[in-house]
Amino acid sequence: MALLAPQLSRWFNSVKLCSFVKATQVTKHSARPGTALVASFSAQALVSSDTCFLQGKIKTHRTLLSWNSFQSANTNRKKSSAESTRLPSVSEQQEKTPTLESELPLEELDDLPPLSPLQPVSEEKAIQIAAHALLPLSSFTLADYVDHSKTLQKLVQLGVDLSKIEKHPDVANLLLRLDFEKDIKQILLFLKDLGLEDNQLGPFLTKNYAIFSEDLENLKTRVAYLQSKNFSKTDIARMVKNAPFLLSFSVERLDNRLGFFQKELELNVKKTRDLVVRLPRLLTGSLEPVKENIKVFNTRVFKIKERHLFLVYLGKAQYDPAKPNYVSLEKFASFPDEVFCKEIAKASVNDFEKFLKTL
């Protein structure tokens, strides 16, 4: 029996080592594929695998406790043996047993499973863990999404003012759905081909944010139309810079605008082209003020001066539409004297004629 205890001890050590190696090999071949699949499913899979791993460690710990108790009993029996037949003690045998830190091959250490999320973390390591802000489900500002959107980050780098774009919810939602490489980069290259510099892209896109919803082929068609009207590349680049919404106008609208100015101002083709190159916003702005001014250019300058001085005399020369008692230039220049005196000057025609004699 004295010889049986050491043999049993060696046998249990062999079994323990074999079980440890097999557990390591199983972990090597099964843990890695599981890790690759966790990100594709849910967090429950990660918790389940960690729970199994934790349960395995608890079972192993219980087995080691039982084995240590058995070794302690053997130690007490061996103390009564003679010195000449003394065998290695349990502690010496444990020192010879391979441990995770000492005798386990380095390649096996690389294949050990990762620590469980349930493993305690020290305060020093907890401070080093980067905590990323959660993506808000809804917000009134695009600033909350910049850290999560590469598209918004690229636009900010270009100089786009997101605070102005976010005032238009439809456009803001569109930007969040667009991919920079697939949807925006091609428009930027198109604008650069037109002649816009890098430092001009930001201000342009801040104003004409609607260009992101335009089809690239339509934009090219509008540029081709301007080229067909003998606008040079330099002319087109200047017009696009000073009137960012120009490219958002269809070919039909551009053609109607050019025809309007050529007809109303009685200009030839070259003069019409020179006019819109200098003032490209004539093609994109409202035509009502232009029509009103055209009527005032067609009125005798002397007559306009007489009426203006009469209104100044009465204290009613107010031409700011944002203020009360606004005097429309169209009515001011086109009304006959009777209507002008009654509706605008609020005076009689005799009063107006007497005032003219004082000039």
Side-chain angles (χ1 to χ4, degrees):
M1 293 299 293
L3 296 176
L4 181 60
Q7 292 176 356
L8 288 175
S9 176
R10 292 191 187 96
W11 181 78
F12 275 110
N13 282 336
S14 300
V15 172
K16 177 182 175 183
L17 177 59
C18 182
S19 301
F20 182 83
V21 172
K22 288 184 178 180
T24 304
Q25 293 174 347
V26 171
T27 304
K28 176 179 179 182
H29 295 292
S30 63
R32 283 188 172 179
T35 304
L37 292 175
V38 164
S40 300
F41 294 98
S42 63
Q44 274 188 332
L46 181 60
V47 174
S48 299
S49 62
D50 292 331
T51 303
C52 294
F53 176 70
L54 182 60
Q55 291 174 349
K57 292 190 66 177
I58 292 175
K59 292 180 179 178
T60 303
H61 182 64
R62 289 176 178 172
T63 303
L64 291 176
L65 288 177
S66 301
W67 173 238
N68 289 336
S69 300
F70 176 77
Q71 287 179 327
S72 298
N74 281 338
T75 302
N76 294 331
R77 285 194 293 269
K78 283 186 286 184
K79 285 182 179 180
S80 61
S81 303
E83 290 294 331
S84 61
T85 60
R86 180 180 180 276
L87 295 175
S89 65
V90 175
S91 60
E92 292 175 346
Q93 293 176 5
Q94 289 177 340
E95 291 178 358
K96 295 180 180 180
T97 303
T99 60
L100 184 64
E101 292 82 4
S102 59
E103 300 182 17
L104 195 64
L106 293 178
E107 59 270 14
E108 297 295 339
L109 291 175
D110 293 337
D111 293 329
L112 290 178
L115 292 177
S116 168
L118 303 178
Q119 187 79 15
V121 181
S122 64
E123 294 184 2
E124 295 180 358
K125 292 184 178 180
I127 296 176
Q128 299 175 357
I129 296 176
H132 300 283
L134 295 177
L135 181 66
L137 296 179
S138 61
S139 176
F140 293 100
T141 175
L142 286 174
D144 291 339
Y145 298 93
V146 172
D147 292 338
H148 307 275
S149 172
K150 292 184 179 180
T151 297
L152 296 183
Q153 293 171 12
K154 292 285 188 180
L155 293 178
V156 170
Q157 292 174 3
L158 289 173
V160 178
D161 190 347
L162 297 181
S163 64
K164 294 183 178 179
I165 295 180
E166 67 189 16
K167 296 178 181 179
H168 308 275
D170 293 340
V171 181
N173 289 327
L174 174 65
L175 288 184
L176 293 176
R177 295 193 301 266
L178 294 180
D179 181 84
F180 184 84
E181 295 294 331
K182 296 180 180 179
D183 305 315
I184 294 181
K185 189 175 181 179
Q186 56 182 355
I187 294 181
L188 297 180
L189 295 176
F190 167 75
L191 294 175
K192 292 190 69 173
D193 288 340
L194 287 182
L196 270 68
E197 303 294 336
D198 290 342
N199 59 351
Q200 296 172 335
L201 292 175
F204 176 89
L205 296 175
T206 300
K207 294 180 179 179
N208 189 9
Y209 41 79
I211 198 172
F212 295 126
S213 61
E214 294 282 354
D215 183 77
L216 184 60
E217 294 302 320
N218 290 337
L219 297 176
K220 293 180 179 179
T221 300
R222 293 159 193 172
V223 173
Y225 166 78
L226 294 175
Q227 292 173 341
S228 69
K229 296 297 182 181
N230 293 328
F231 287 95
S232 66
K233 185 176 181 180
T234 303
D235 294 338
I236 296 175
R238 179 178 177 180
M239 294 165 66
V240 170
K241 293 174 187 177
N242 296 329
F245 289 99
L246 180 65
L247 294 178
S248 297
F249 276 60
S250 65
V251 171
E252 292 76 13
R253 293 186 69 183
L254 291 174
D255 190 66
N256 291 335
R257 290 296 179 97
L258 289 174
F260 169 82
F261 288 108
Q262 183 175 351
K263 178 181 178 181
E264 295 294 329
L265 299 180
E266 299 180 354
L267 302 175
N268 58 32
V269 175
K270 184 179 183 305
K271 288 184 178 181
T272 303
R273 185 168 54 246
D274 293 340
L275 174 65
V276 296
V277 169
R278 288 191 300 108
L279 302 172
R281 293 188 179 181
L282 291 175
L283 297 178
T284 60
S286 174
L287 292 179
E288 294 304 320
V290 177
K291 294 177 180 179
E292 184 174 332
N293 288 331
I294 290 176
K295 291 182 180 180
V296 176
F297 296 156
N298 291 335
T299 306
R300 290 186 298 113
V301 177
F302 184 73
K303 184 176 182 179
I304 294 176
K305 182 179 180 180
E306 290 178 340
R307 293 186 176 185
H308 169 67
L309 293 176
F310 184 55
L311 292 178
V312 171
Y313 172 74
L314 297 175
K316 297 180 180 180
Q318 206 291 92
Y319 308 114
D320 188 350
K323 297 180 181 179
N325 301 321
Y326 162 66
V327 177
S328 171
L329 291 179
E330 180 181 2
K331 297 178 180 179
F332 176 86
S334 60
F335 283 178
D337 289 343
E338 294 79 6
V339 178
F340 165 76
C341 293
K342 181 179 180 180
E343 296 188 7
I344 297 179
K346 307 297 182 183
S348 64
V349 177
N350 291 332
D351 293 336
F352 180 52
E353 292 177 349
K354 289 180 181 180
F355 172 77
L356 295 178
K357 292 179 181 179
T358 61
L359 296 179

